[in-house]
Amino acid sequence: MTRVREDPTRALSDPTTSFTEVKRLLQKLPDEVPAAVAAEAALRLRDGQAWWGFARSAGKLPERVLRVLLERLAEEARSPLTVFLLTAMQSSDDLERDWAMAIKGLLDLNSASAWSSKQRRQKIAGLAKSPLLPAIQAAAQAGPAPRLDLLAVLAADGSDASVDALLPHFDKAMARQSELLDTLERLETHAAKTEPMRLMFESVERALRERNRASPALEFARHLGFDGETFSVRWHLASLELNKGNVPLYQCDVVVDSTAPVWFRVDVVHVAGLLKRRSTTFGAAGAPTVDELGLGRCEPAELPAWFAKAARTLQVKWRVTVSHSTLRGAKRQRAAAWMEGA
């Protein structure tokens, strides 16, 4: 039986074609596929802010496709990664060579290695010394929330131009006292030992100390009879009743943390099956609010009574543990007993 030859143009035009098949066709693109079809297929592989699937598939596109793809990117809203690619290719005299370098840079900006690992350090330091640095500097100024690796390259470079690109993010973090402070603090792992970078991180550390000292979590801790410069407790409540997979039917986490931008959060999840989940979530400003279980919300001091009422509504009994805390020994036991209503 003669096998019918695949039509690559039709496959690349079809948005339901699998990622694996699109990747295979793009990496060895037949000459008969129109450039516009290949370019649109490649752009469909972008995912969120990472563009990992796109980068893994589109590194060896021919010049005729790259010209169309760059035109499409130029027509879009300027996201950090769009600006990175367009700037990297701006004055290219060899599209295929420079595109391959830009795509390798994009992959290096999406490393799966641990944040402080040798591999991650090498990739970030390499990008800071590469011809892609101006594109990274431009990308950092193109949107409100560029990827952390992209900012880490600027910190690793530490030049005036990189500091200028970082400053708006530091200024915004200082003004909002938000979780962006915690994010920027992580950049110190990769930062150059320059005076501007040192001053930046000193400012972030001061702002974090001030924010944490003013956290309502410390007042809540005093309400429970605990005192200290920081307070962090994660209670875990699991129903004694199990689902068909022998895991608790209802699982809850309550976090009170003076070092977190969202200092108080409650998550209750109904785990009926692998794909059957409903939840109730609420907390301090910045926490999402969902109430699929109809349990309502409460203030932190009302948590024991709220969970007692939830147990009656859901017809379950809770097992309470403290899964993480700055408290130790008897104090930790007291925290667990308080949640149980003792």
Side-chain angles (χ1 to χ4, degrees), residues 49 78 80 140-146 169 172 176 180:
Q49 289 189 331
R78 296 302 180 97
Q141 301 176 73
H169 301 286
K172 183 170 64 176
R176 297 183 182 180
L180 184 56

Side-chain angles (χ1 to χ4, degrees), residues 41-74:
L43 291 172
R44 284 200 303 271
L45 298 179
R46 291 177 295 176
D47 50 308
Q49 289 189 331
W51 294 13
W52 177 254
F54 170 80
R56 289 293 302 272
S57 308
K60 296 182 179 180
L61 294 175
E63 181 177 337
R64 64 187 181 88
V65 176
L66 291 176
R67 292 192 182 280
V68 177
L69 191 151
L70 290 170
E71 288 174 3
R72 297 287 191 274
L73 287 176

Side-chain angles (χ1 to χ4, degrees), residues 184-263:
L184 293 180
E185 185 185 35
R186 298 182 64 198
L187 297 180
E188 193 167 9
T189 299
H190 299 280
K193 307 300 181 185
T194 63
E195 186 66 7
M197 296 307 304
R198 185 185 67 80
L199 292 173
M200 272 190 181
F201 290 115
E202 283 185 357
S203 297
V204 168
E205 289 170 11
R206 281 196 303 271
L208 282 170
R209 284 196 300 269
E210 291 170 7
R211 187 195 73 187
N212 296 345
R213 278 199 295 264
S215 172
L218 296 179
E219 182 179 346
F220 173 75
R222 289 190 286 271
H223 169 77
L224 299 190
F226 303 117
D227 207 350
E229 293 185 0
T230 61
F231 179 78
S232 176
V233 180
R234 178 186 291 272
W235 289 273
H236 182 71
L237 293 85
S239 67
L240 298 181
E241 293 72 17
L242 307 179
N243 65 16
K244 293 180 180 179
N246 280 331
V247 300
L249 187 59
Y250 291 90
Q251 301 176 34
C252 321
D253 284 294
V254 179
V255 178
V256 175
D257 187 352
S258 67
T259 67
V262 179
W263 70 272

Side-chain angles (χ1 to χ4, degrees), residues 84 105 108-109 115 120-130 132-137 140 147-159 162-163 166 187 190-192 197:
F84 167 72
D108 286 346
L109 287 168
W115 181 245
R120 196 76 164 262
R121 288 174 181 273
Q122 287 176 338
K123 287 182 178 180
I124 288 172
L127 286 167
K129 293 180 173 61
S130 80
L132 294 172
L133 180 60
I136 292 171
Q137 291 166 342
R147 291 179 57 81
L148 188 60
D149 287 71
L150 192 147
L151 297 181
V153 173
L154 304 185
D157 173 51
S159 67
S162 288
V163 170
L166 278 171
L187 297 180
H190 299 280
M197 296 307 304

